[in-house]
Amino acid sequence: MSDRRGSDRWGPDRWGSDRWRPVAFKTRVDEVLHGFVAQEAEQLSAIDPALGPVAGQLEAAVADGKRLRAAFCYWGWRAVGQPDSDALVRAAASMELVHAAAVVHDDLIDDSPLRHGRPTAHIALRAAVRRRPRAVAAARSLAMLVGDLLMSLAGQLFATSGLPAAYLARARPLWSVLARELIAGECLEILRTGADPDTTASLKVIRYKTAKYTVEQPLLIGGALAGAGRRLREGYSAYGLPLGEAFQLRDDLLGLFGDPERTGKENADDVRGHRPTALLAETWRIAGDGERERLSALLGRRDLDAEGLDVVREVMSRLKAPDRIEAMITARVEEALDALHELDTPPYAAAALTALARSAAVRLS
């Protein structure tokens, strides 16, 4: 099989009819998610009116999002040469429920107060239990169960997408891999939190906590549904892993240096939590004794104020740690695009995956 991206066998007129339209695609995914979760939330509330706030958090969990994971799953299918399909869009939308579950659990573990500019699930649910004993712990327990249910609903949406059973069977083993790697990454972050910063360890956390389930696994699942061959699947991994890492490295930068009005999150979260980000690890690696002493006095402080946060930013900027992370992002995007250009995919799919690589790594939120 040829490695040329623009082989004539894909047809000269496909580019016009298959141009990547991210806004229209997001609308399709949103319609699936909002309708599906609304029905599930209604059925949950019908069990008992007291479950209303929990059902509300199910819907809140899918209210926003870039829908990148659904897009990578969709193009994992289309890059094999398969046509657009509403059933495939439903299957791809299940990737967003995986993400929603991961976000609820991650916010709970990190005790993050905001997501998309709104209170996170474990904060919002305090209102439902404010008159109960140990209300804060009760709200956290409810949020944990919201995340659990979202993960279950992801599997249900995938299984009922409308794709043939034989197609679904090809992809089903990848779900257990996705879950295992996602949980491994979250566990590694917990185990590394508060430890001496280490870039290699931080990049491993990034790979398993974010990179794989954001880009690689959605691509592989879409490819498996479409019957992708070994060479194409290997190419998906060669493209997806570095791109997924670039995505999270961008998140690390935005988490500390981004505009909270755009990110919808507090800038101090990573510093207060002493999380093992690559940005912190690179700063620590090149910092002198005096700079490490200043950082040690601030990392992990739950009462960190704006002045303390500015000190952390100043140290990082002076050591040019953000520039190092930018360079890491650029290198990973280039690696991903080089791998993509080696694949024999339809030109419209290659164009879409190129655009997705740019939007994943170059963004403000």
Side-chain angles (χ1 to χ4, degrees), residues 206 210-211 243-253 363:
I206 283 173
T210 304
L243 182 57
E245 290 178 2
F247 176 88
Q248 183 56 46
L249 288 168
R250 175 63 62 198
D251 254 17
D252 288 353
L253 281 177
R363 54 195 169 88

Side-chain angles (χ1 to χ4, degrees), residues 5 7-8 49 89 93 103 354:
R5 218 174 21 151
S7 174
D8 290 342
V89 172
V103 163
T354 299

Side-chain angles (χ1 to χ4, degrees), residues 26-41:
K26 181 180 183 303
T27 298
R28 292 175 73 186
V29 173
D30 282 344
E31 288 175 354
V32 170
L33 287 174
H34 297 163
F36 176 75
V37 174
Q39 287 182 342
E40 293 295 330

Side-chain angles (χ1 to χ4, degrees), residues 152-197:
S152 173
L153 293 178
Q156 181 182 340
L157 180 58
F158 185 79
T160 60
S161 62
L163 289 173
Y167 290 23
L168 297 174
R170 288 197 296 249
R172 193 166 292 122
L174 293 173
W175 276 79
S176 61
V177 176
L178 182 154
R180 179 172 61 249
E181 293 178 341
L182 174 57
I183 291 170
E186 191 70 70
C187 290
L188 285 172
E189 183 179 64
I190 294 169
L191 292 167
R192 292 293 308 173
T193 293
D196 287 343

Side-chain angles (χ1 to χ4, degrees), residues 45-161:
S45 296
I47 295 172
D48 193 296
L51 293 169
V54 178
Q57 286 306 304
L58 286 178
E59 295 190 83
V62 298
D64 302 289
K66 303 174 186 67
R67 310 313 186 203
L68 285 175
R69 293 157 186 86
F72 284 118
C73 183
Y74 176 86
W75 285 106
W77 162 278
R78 296 298 311 278
V80 181
Q82 293 279 14
D84 178 73
S85 158
D86 287 340
L88 186 277
V89 172
R90 284 180 59 83
S94 69
M95 299 292 99
E96 298 298 332
L97 287 173
V98 171
H99 176 55
V103 163
V104 170
H105 285 152
D106 192 52
D107 287 341
L108 176 60
I109 291 166
D110 293 340
D111 200 21
S112 298
L114 293 175
R115 175 75 63 166
H116 298 299
R118 296 191 302 270
T120 49
H122 66 282
I123 300 297
L125 285 166
R126 289 180 183 178
V129 291
R130 62 183 180 275
R131 294 187 177 88
R132 307 291 194 275
R134 302 178 66 244
V136 171
R140 293 176 65 85
S141 297
L142 289 174
M144 177 184 68
L145 294 169
V146 168
D148 293 347
L149 183 51
L150 285 165
M151 186 63 84
S152 173
L153 293 178
Q156 181 182 340
L157 180 58
F158 185 79
T160 60
S161 62

